Amino acid sequence: MYTPYQITDPERFFRDPAQPRQRQYEALRAYFVDAVPSAAAARRFGYTAGSFRVLCHKFRQGALGTFFQDLPRGPQVQAKKDPARPLIIALRKQNLSIYDIQDTLATQGHALSLTAIHEVLRAEGFARLPRRRDAERPERPRPDQAAVADVRQVTWAGRRFPTARGGLFIFLPWLVRLDLAGRVAAAGFPGTQMIPAAHAVRAALALKLTSTERKSHVMDLVFDEGLALWSGLNVTPKTTFLSQYSGRLGPRRLTALLDGWVAALRGQGVLPGQSFNLDFHSIPFFGADEFVEKHYVSRRSRRQESVLAFLAQDGDTRVLCYGDANLRKGEEADQVLAFVRFWTRQTGHPPPHLVFDSQCTTYRKLHELNALGVRFITLRRRSRAVLREVALQPRTAWRPVHLDVPQRLYQTPKVIEQRVTLRDYSGPLRQFFITDLGHEQPTILLTNDLHATPAALILRYARRMLIENGLADAVNFLHLDALSSAVALNVSFDVLLTTMATGLYRLLARTLRGYERAQPRQIWRRFLHSPAQVRVTDTEVVVELPRRAHNPILIAAGLLDERTPVPWWENRMLRFEIP
């Protein structure tokens, strides 16, 4: 027979009582009930013979009081629920919800929570009410319902209204010069009579430019008439429309718009195209979807469900000029050549120079780049064999190189240059072992540029960090990581909007003296994040910006007295004023 293991000794509770009153009780019981001699009972429970006789005397006289007390019971009625119970039942029979019942009880002096009302109704056997129509609900103040977005309902003439996004209008002259509406039409973007294609794209682009985190947060802005005017609509489209519209955009249309947008930026001189930084970025997904692959997310130092995007940035102006988020595992190595084909389609020749990390592509793809005449700088992975080779180099083989960058902390790294050949790559490559750059492990550079100096190559690769800084700004300000769907197509549209937003901010930054290298978040905070009064007449749209410390810079750049025809406002003129 199985005997359970005794974790504690139950008899000890009675033999060695811990509480004084229990010890008195057990000692007296042993003497009077169990007939234990007085001396033995006193010794067993830790009393002297004299003190135990005094204890027995007090017990006989009734001086010890009661050993056991009943716990006091709480009230058997519910002071708040019970008086209101008949009223709650009567109100529910009138088909009122618990919210309506709570309001009615409050007017009659019964302050009950929703949980308390629900408990009363459940105890009385009432089921939940079915969802009611608006006509069946009691009359009470309700939220205002925003109008449906419809370009045919736009009636702006003779109106004046405030907006919290007044600085956003400064981008309108650039949209006219870049002919965004024409390029959207050329790309074949879908539209309706209520919301044409160009209006839909501008509405989505406005969220990027104003650092709106997710498209669902547009509901906070639907009553901003200035934002609707910027898009050319009577009201900003809601969340549902933006989600459904992005789902209608296929890769062909997105690629066509990207081609047209990059061509427009090249016409403005912000894409010189002499050198490009390339990188991957994993956009995390926090939902539940079995079709989203796992990729390494550097910000979280782990692999998790995410969408992998490939981005290209101009090395001189830091403008994102290419993006593709419709990638699957195993396609990473082909993306460098995909960008080369894109740039060749744009200019008629491949990009002159590329800088990327060691994991961007393979040695076979590097050979194809070299065959196309593309110069590149990349890292070589630190394998054990390579690190062993670096460790065995004699001290005399290292030579210092001076980096002419005064603000740089490490200005004199040590370098060893070699000519190497790699598998799947025909021809020689220059390999550099570099130390004293502030890293624990040596940096190993590979390049097919046989003429550049080591200092120039090191400085150029160091500038590749600009794309990582640009990605950080795209994540923190343009909210590239704010995925709204696991569908890669939606993410591709989001990446395209991010690319367009960086180009617009860079165009604006070039005109601001002293802020040519500023990040979008800095430009938005200092110049654009401002309320305004908008006045619309038959001939012009006037945006009255408040007095701010940085307005003189905008005035010097010629941005606050601009008169630009705006086709989607029936050829009205746009003008800025500072009262």
Side-chain angles (χ1 to χ4, degrees), residues 175 180 200-209 230 497 500-501 504:
L175 294 183
L180 176 63
V201 173
R202 281 197 301 272
L205 182 60
L207 303 182
K208 278 290 179 184
L209 295 173
W230 194 89
L497 292 175
M500 297 170 67
L504 288 172

Side-chain angles (χ1 to χ4, degrees), residues 11 14 118 131 168 209 237 317 319 336 343 351 376 380 394 441 450 501 531 544:
E11 298 179 1
F14 302 98
H118 175 68
R131 187 174 182 85
L168 190 64
L209 295 173
T317 60
V319 174
V336 174
W343 193 255
F376 60 83
R380 186 174 184 181
Q441 296 287 347
L450 305 179
E544 298 178 357

Side-chain angles (χ1 to χ4, degrees), residues 548-564:
R548 300 187 69 189
H550 295 87
N551 281 348
I553 300 178
L554 294 175
I555 296 174
L559 297 175
L560 295 190
D561 57 352
E562 189 81 29
R563 291 175 178 267
T564 305

Side-chain angles (χ1 to χ4, degrees), residues 263-288:
L265 292 181
R266 290 181 58 244
Q268 296 294 324
V270 294
L271 285 178
Q274 299 302 314
S275 183
F276 296 92
N277 302 318
L278 310 179
D279 204 356
F280 288 99
H281 179 68
S282 298
I283 305 175
F285 175 68
F286 299 99

Side-chain angles (χ1 to χ4, degrees), residues 19 86-87 131 156 193 202 204 233 236 239 255 287-288 296 307 336 382 413 452 525-526 572:
Q19 300 297 327
L87 185 57
R131 187 174 182 85
W156 298 106
Q193 292 184 353
R202 281 197 301 272
L233 296 168
T236 300
T239 300
T255 301
Y296 179 76
V307 174
V336 174
R382 302 186 186 98
R525 184 179 69 251
R526 295 175 183 269
R572 290 187 178 89

Side-chain angles (χ1 to χ4, degrees), residues 136-155:
E136 299 174 348
R137 299 176 184 271
E139 289 295 332
R140 62 170 60 195
R142 297 177 183 175
D144 295 335
Q145 184 176 2
V148 177
D150 189 347
V151 69
R152 297 170 298 181
Q153 303 298 325
V154 178
T155 54

Side-chain angles (χ1 to χ4, degrees), residues 238-464:
K238 316 298 189 300
T239 300
T240 305
F241 170 80
L242 294 174
S243 178
Q244 293 177 350
Y245 187 78
S246 65
R248 299 171 60 190
L249 303 177
R252 179 182 58 81
R253 289 169 172 166
L254 294 174
T255 301
L257 181 56
L258 178 63
D259 287 343
W261 181 257
V262 171
L265 292 181
R266 290 181 58 244
Q268 296 294 324
V270 294
L271 285 178
Q274 299 302 314
S275 183
F276 296 92
N277 302 318
L278 310 179
D279 204 356
F280 288 99
H281 179 68
S282 298
I283 305 175
F285 175 68
F286 299 99
D289 195 305
E290 59 183 356
F291 299 108
V292 178
E293 296 177 332
K294 284 188 175 183
H295 299 282
Y296 179 76
V297 180
S298 58
R299 295 187 70 194
R300 297 178 175 269
S301 299
R302 69 184 186 190
R303 291 177 68 251
Q304 72 174 80
E305 288 80 4
S306 55
V307 174
L308 188 64
F310 179 78
L311 299 168
Q313 180 195 60
D314 188 274
D316 297 321
T317 60
R318 298 186 294 176
V319 174
L320 292 177
C321 57
Y322 179 79
D324 186 4
N326 195 14
L327 305 180
R328 307 295 290 175
K329 281 188 175 181
E331 300 176 351
E332 297 90 342
D334 298 326
Q335 295 309 305
V336 174
L337 292 175
F339 171 71
V340 171
R341 291 191 294 270
F342 166 79
W343 193 255
T344 304
R345 188 169 66 247
Q346 282 282 327
T347 62
H349 57 79
H353 194 261
L354 301 178
V355 183
F356 45 88
D357 205 349
S358 61
Q359 298 182 355
C360 270
T361 190
T362 61
Y363 294 151
R364 185 182 300 276
K365 304 300 180 183
L366 292 181
H367 172 72
E368 295 183 30
L369 287 177
N370 186 60
L372 293 172
V374 179
R375 292 177 293 119
F376 60 83
I377 303 176
T378 184
L379 289 179
R380 186 174 184 181
R381 299 181 185 179
R382 302 186 186 98
S383 64
R384 291 184 178 180
V386 173
L387 290 177
R388 188 183 304 112
E389 181 182 356
V390 174
L392 294 176
Q393 296 294 328
R395 287 188 176 182
T396 55
W398 298 90
R399 63 187 183 91
V401 173
H402 178 69
L403 304 180
D404 190 14
V405 183
Q407 68 272 19
R408 187 178 179 87
L409 183 60
Y410 301 94
Q411 299 186 22
T412 55
K414 294 182 175 61
V415 176
I416 292 179
E417 180 178 350
Q418 298 175 339
R419 295 292 179 98
V420 297
T421 58
L422 302 175
R423 67 181 187 278
D424 299 330
Y425 185 95
S426 299
L429 284 170
R430 296 174 74 186
Q431 177 175 271
F432 294 89
F433 299 149
I434 309 170
T435 60
D436 295 343
L437 276 179
H439 306 295
E440 182 178 357
Q441 296 287 347
T443 300
I444 305 171
L445 285 184
L446 285 176
T447 181
N448 62 346
D449 190 339
L450 305 179
H451 305 290
T453 64
L457 294 173
I458 295 173
L459 289 177
R460 178 60 191 91
Y461 187 83
R463 288 171 54 200
R464 192 196 72 87

Side-chain angles (χ1 to χ4, degrees), residues 486-537:
V487 182
L489 182 61
N490 291 349
V491 183
S492 297
F493 184 48
D494 187 75
V495 170
L496 175 58
L497 292 175
T498 302
T499 303
M500 297 170 67
T502 58
L504 288 172
Y505 269 105
R506 187 52 48 202
L507 284 169
L508 178 59
R510 292 176 62 199
T511 65
L512 303 176
R513 181 176 177 83
Y515 289 87
E516 294 84 354
R517 311 294 290 182
Q519 296 287 356
R521 64 178 181 273
Q522 297 168 324
I523 297 174
W524 170 255
R525 184 179 69 251
R526 295 175 183 269
F527 298 96
L528 307 181
H529 192 193
S530 171
Q533 288 287 333
V534 180
R535 188 175 70 253
V536 184
T537 67

